[in-house]
Amino acid sequence: MSHNYGDAKILSARQQSLPGQTSLPHLMTITDKKNRILSLLPTSTIDQHTKTMVETLLPVMEEAQLDALFDTFMGEKSALEKNEEKRQRVELKYKVMAEKLAQIEINKFKK
Amino acid sequence: MFGIDTISKAIDTSKEVLGKILPSLSEAWNAAKETKDKGFLDRIGMFFSKFKEEYDKLGKEKEQISQDAQDAAKQTTEQAMTGATAAVKLDESKVEKTDADAYKEALASGVASLKSLSPEQQAFAGKGFDKVKKAMKEGGEDHLDLDEFKAVAATGLSTLKALKTKYPDKEKLTAALTQISKASDSSEYPVAGLLKASVLKVLKPSVGDMISSPLKAKAFAEAFGIEISINLLPPTIESPFKDAMVLMKEKELAGDNKAKVVEAYGKYIIPHTNKTDVNKVVQVVDFVHNIVITQPEQLSTDQMAELVSLVDSEDLDRIIAIFTGKTENAANVA
């Protein structure tokens, strides 16, 4: 697999689960894996063509291929969530800094 | 250090990201302009420049996450279709990406249909497709046997049914089939070649196979609700379907004869399709019968789209179920 999330991220992704479901592939049935992949597909950022290909081929995929897709989409979901958290932190940090910078200039002007 | 224009641009860019620019920052900006405080302008320029740099970095990271997921998912789908991709060998350098994508999606439906068959049926389909390929490349009349016919037809119909589900509108279905056909011209299985009369002819199960496997032929016909007698060889199809088959061989199918064929088709083959559409289906099927005799004509993608559109989806499911042996009660529908 060519993605560069790293094993740690994949393991961390596998530890996430939807309510009432296990997320450990070795405890999931093939049907569970297919359902989980289908539930992750709508929010994935891959292009529509690849989503169609996944959806079409999913019913006949071998278990190793299902595992690979599950890892891919869980890894993507986890990485995107972390990216979003970082984005929010950066925004907050700069909002606070901008506020301070402005306040100093306003105070200087008022003097 | 930074010109006002540069800073203004950075602020405009950041406005979208930070939402409404902080009121206090606007106030400070105006104050700095009034007092010509170049130090503030430099600081604010540096501030926005740094913010943009960090923000763009996160944007690139997000793009990379998507790209990695895209590559990995693509790799897995390609693995799932390895055999089929090798068999059809689409030359992507000669095809527009959108056409190639449409072709691959149709191929994926075909692979899914094929792999949903039992291992035995998959083997029959493999032999059947080899005969079809041979007919396309070399000609000849090596007919499919009944098992090969059922497996190949089930795969083909399932693929067409998936396209019909995706494009319920007849015009869009026709456009999709035309697009797929165009792309397939650069593959090992051009749709235009598959629809040639000489190839359609080999799809028809051989009479020899019906004779050598009368019980199989009887079970197949009876799944459609068609009575078949195997007391004498070759197996004899009972009326009224037999009448319909005889009438279909006529050059001009019209009037009462056509009404009889329409009735038989409506009763046995496509019982869920409305009578007006059965009438149109029979017209296209009659055309196919005729071109098989008067080669080298071929079925057009428009006609194929018309057939798939006209036949009710329930009937397509029923026929696929009969071909795949996944129903025991199909005849009860008729």
Side-chain angles (χ1 to χ4, degrees):
Chain A
M1 194 99 346
S2 64
H3 61 66
N4 62 4
Y5 306 143
D7 291 344
K9 282 188 180 174
I10 289 171
L11 283 174
S12 148
R14 282 182 176 185
Q15 281 153 14
Q16 296 183 20
S17 60
L18 296 176
Q21 289 179 314
T22 176
S23 62
L24 298 171
H26 65 278
L27 294 178
M28 290 163 71
T29 64
I30 286 181
T31 307
D32 288 340
K33 287 176 191 177
K34 287 177 183 172
N35 287 339
R36 291 297 304 278
I37 291 166
L38 282 176
S39 74
L40 290 164
L41 207 51
T43 51
S44 169
T45 54
I46 63 170
D47 68 24
Q48 192 51 48
H49 165 66
T50 311
K51 282 187 185 183
T52 305
M53 296 292 280
V54 169
E55 205 174 345
T56 307
L57 292 164
L58 200 63
V60 295
M61 277 189 180
E62 290 165 14
E63 195 160 5
Q65 289 160 349
L66 293 175
D67 287 342
L69 277 184
F70 180 76
D71 285 346
T72 297
F73 293 131
M74 283 302 274
E76 182 199 19
K77 182 174 180 275
S78 166
L80 285 175
E81 282 169 358
K82 283 188 180 112
N83 179 273
E84 176 60 17
E85 280 167 22
K86 279 196 249 174
R87 190 185 65 80
Q88 285 178 8
R89 278 203 303 273
V90 167
E91 276 184 24
L92 184 65
K93 181 175 87 178
Y94 279 89
K95 271 182 182 166
V96 170
M97 279 165 64
E99 188 70 48
K100 279 183 184 165
L101 204 62
Q103 213 50 57
I104 292 167
E105 189 65 16
I106 291 165
N107 290 340
K108 214 159 64 177
F109 182 68
K110 282 179 181 166
K111 275 179 189 172
Chain B
M1 188 177 179
F2 292 93
I4 287 182
D5 282 352
T6 316
I7 300 168
S8 297
K9 267 184 202 166
I11 290 174
D12 281 343
T13 311
S14 308
K15 264 184 192 173
E16 285 175 24
V17 179
L18 289 173
K20 201 168 64 177
I21 196 82
L22 294 167
S24 51
L25 197 59
S26 297
E27 196 184 335
W29 173 256
N30 290 334
K33 274 205 289 187
E34 203 167 304
T35 58
K36 293 182 178 153
D37 181 356
K38 196 171 174 305
F40 176 76
L41 298 180
D42 279 348
R43 281 195 300 281
I44 205 79
M46 208 182 302
F47 168 82
F48 278 115
S49 168
K50 189 74 189 150
F51 171 72
K52 196 170 177 306
E53 187 186 312
E54 278 195 48
Y55 205 79
D56 286 351
K57 194 176 155 194
L58 286 173
K60 277 182 189 152
E61 185 184 293
K62 191 175 176 183
E63 277 173 22
Q64 190 59 49
I65 294 165
S66 296
Q67 190 59 51
D68 288 344
Q70 173 79 32
D71 292 345
K74 192 179 169 203
Q75 192 181 339
T76 308
T77 56
E78 280 173 356
Q79 278 170 3
M81 321 212 311
T82 306
T85 311
V88 297
K89 284 181 198 152
L90 178 69
D91 184 351
E92 292 194 45
S93 67
K94 292 181 182 167
V95 185
E96 295 282 335
K97 189 183 179 299
T98 48
D99 293 344
D101 283 354
Y103 178 79
K104 282 186 211 164
E105 285 168 21
L107 183 63
S109 290
V111 170
S113 307
L114 184 66
K115 288 192 177 178
S116 69
L117 300 176
S118 68
E120 190 187 15
Q121 285 175 318
Q122 286 186 43
F124 285 133
K127 285 183 195 165
F129 281 119
D130 282 347
K131 285 184 182 174
V132 171
K133 192 172 182 179
K134 194 177 162 201
M136 283 168 66
K137 304 263 175 201
E138 303 164 24
E141 290 191 19
D142 189 5
H143 284 259
L144 272 61
D145 67 25
L146 191 55
D147 288 321
E148 291 162 357
F149 165 75
K150 285 195 290 181
V152 167
T155 306
L157 278 179
S158 298
T159 308
L160 290 169
K161 167 79 193 310
L163 277 171
K164 181 177 176 164
T165 306
K166 191 174 176 186
Y167 305 105
D169 177 76
K170 188 186 154 193
E171 307 302 317
K172 286 185 180 162
L173 178 67
T174 307
L177 277 171
T178 305
Q179 186 182 32
I180 293 162
S181 175
K182 190 178 140 200
S184 76
D185 287 343
S186 301
S187 80
E188 284 287 300
Y189 274 91
V191 173
L194 287 170
L195 297 179
K196 273 186 186 164
S198 56
V199 178
L200 292 173
K201 200 172 183 177
V202 305
L203 284 170
K204 192 179 155 195
S206 65
V207 176
D209 187 52
M210 297 284 199
I211 295 169
S212 61
S213 317
L215 283 172
K216 221 186 266 181
K218 183 176 166 67
F220 179 58
E222 287 180 353
F224 283 99
I226 299 165
E227 289 298 317
I228 187 164
S229 165
I230 54 168
N231 294 332
L232 294 169
L233 291 179
T236 313
I237 296 169
E238 303 294 341
S239 293
F241 196 73
K242 181 185 177 185
D243 298 341
M245 285 185 74
V246 171
L247 291 169
M248 285 297 276
K249 287 180 183 167
E250 288 183 10
K251 187 76 184 159
E252 297 286 334
L253 188 63
D256 284 350
N257 287 350
K258 187 176 178 188
K260 280 180 192 169
V261 175
V262 169
E263 196 186 336
Y265 263 71
K267 184 174 180 189
Y268 299 111
I269 311 294
I270 43 177
H272 297 97
T273 304
N274 75 57
K275 200 175 173 186
T276 314
D277 287 344
V278 174
N279 194 56
K280 291 177 188 168
V281 168
V282 166
Q283 252 171 288
V284 182
V285 173
D286 186 40
F287 172 80
V288 176
H289 270 267
N290 284 333
I291 62 166
V292 165
I293 299 164
T294 59
Q295 295 176 41
E297 282 193 69
Q298 69 174 70
L299 190 68
S300 68
T301 48
D302 285 12
Q303 286 168 315
M304 190 162 74
E306 191 181 1
L307 264 184
V308 178
S309 291
L310 289 170
V311 176
D312 192 283
S313 291
E314 262 193 82
D315 281 336
L316 283 174
D317 286 339
R318 174 176 173 263
I319 294 170
I320 293 164
I322 290 171
F323 285 175
T324 53
K326 286 183 180 165
T327 178
E328 290 172 358
N329 301 314
N332 296 342
V333 182

